[in-house]
Amino acid sequence: MAPAPFLTALTADPVVAVVRAPRIADAAALCAALAEGGVRHVEFTFTTPDVTRHLARAAATGAHVGVGTVLTREQAEAAADAGARFLVTPGCRPQVAEAAHRAGLPVVLGALTPTEVADAVDLGAAAVKIFPAAAFGPRYLKDLHGPYPGVPLVASGGINAGNAAGYLDHGAVAVCAGTEVVPADAVADGDWATITECARRFTAALGRP
């Protein structure tokens, strides 16, 4: 997915479920459960064992899935081969950005300071992930948009149903939801009803179906 369509999809459904679990019972079923609750972007992570296998299973269903915590060129290439539709890094990773561009994938590069935001933009980020966002609060994203009015920012780290809307109101194009939406135990046990209900509560807090 090219950067422009990626941003269009992200703006329309501004929640990314970030999956961090020691085991995933069924990645395809997980994505379906999240979608039923209104969360249509799923970020698996390289902190999960065998993540590319899970990614490939989910990608085969047509789900909008990507991979996060991508630190190396090799990980980026493996994710692309497994069917990732976007890549996410915790910080500015030039080799990951280069591999993403070569594969034709949008990359969301992590940053925190104004200098790091500029670095991410220079590396061709489709969006910049502000992490850890909760350490500075929603107002910080509005402040960053002063010098960077056209840069799409994604809030990540410490986002919950109580504060997510504030980040969107202050200029984030999307927010990343973690264990509040994808509890590790529910992911490992295949408790899809719980996952759907968690996603539904989170999206409802944003005033979305």
Side-chain angles (χ1 to χ4, degrees):
M1 179 179 280
F6 171 74
L7 284 176
T8 299
L10 201 58
T11 303
D13 293 296
V15 180
V16 180
V18 181
V19 182
R20 293 191 187 278
R23 188 172 69 85
I24 299 175
D26 185 329
L30 169 60
C31 291
L34 286 166
E36 187 176 345
V39 175
R40 298 173 180 85
H41 311 294
V42 183
E43 176 191 329
F44 295 99
T45 63
F46 268 100
T47 56
T48 296
D50 249 356
V51 67
T52 53
R53 178 175 62 84
H54 296 301
L55 172 66
R57 180 173 174 79
T61 70
H64 191 246
V65 293
V67 182
T69 320
V70 185
L71 300 176
T72 67
R73 176 185 288 111
E74 291 75 19
Q75 287 178 332
E77 291 170 346
D81 290 343
R85 298 180 67 181
F86 60 93
L87 304 180
V88 184
T89 71
C92 288
R93 307 294 295 177
Q95 291 187 349
V96 174
E98 181 184 354
H101 299 327
R102 187 178 297 115
L105 294 177
V107 60
V108 181
L109 295 175
L112 181 61
T113 69
T115 297
E116 290 168 348
V117 172
D119 290 343
V121 171
D122 289 345
L123 289 169
V128 180
K129 181 180 78 172
I130 303 304
F131 174 82
F136 290 82
R139 174 81 192 194
Y140 184 59
L141 275 76
K142 183 176 180 180
D143 292 341
L144 286 173
H145 269 142
Y148 303 116
V151 176
L153 302 177
V154 176
S156 179
I159 309 301
N160 56 53
N163 63 23
Y167 287 95
L168 297 175
D169 291 343
H170 283 78
V173 298
V175 294
C176 293
T179 54
E180 185 174 359
V181 171
V182 278
D185 288 348
V187 172
D189 295 341
D191 186 354
W192 310 132
T194 292
I195 296 288
T196 295
E197 182 56 30
C198 289
R200 188 172 287 129
R201 282 199 300 266
F202 193 95
T203 55
L206 302 181
R208 292 174 173 266

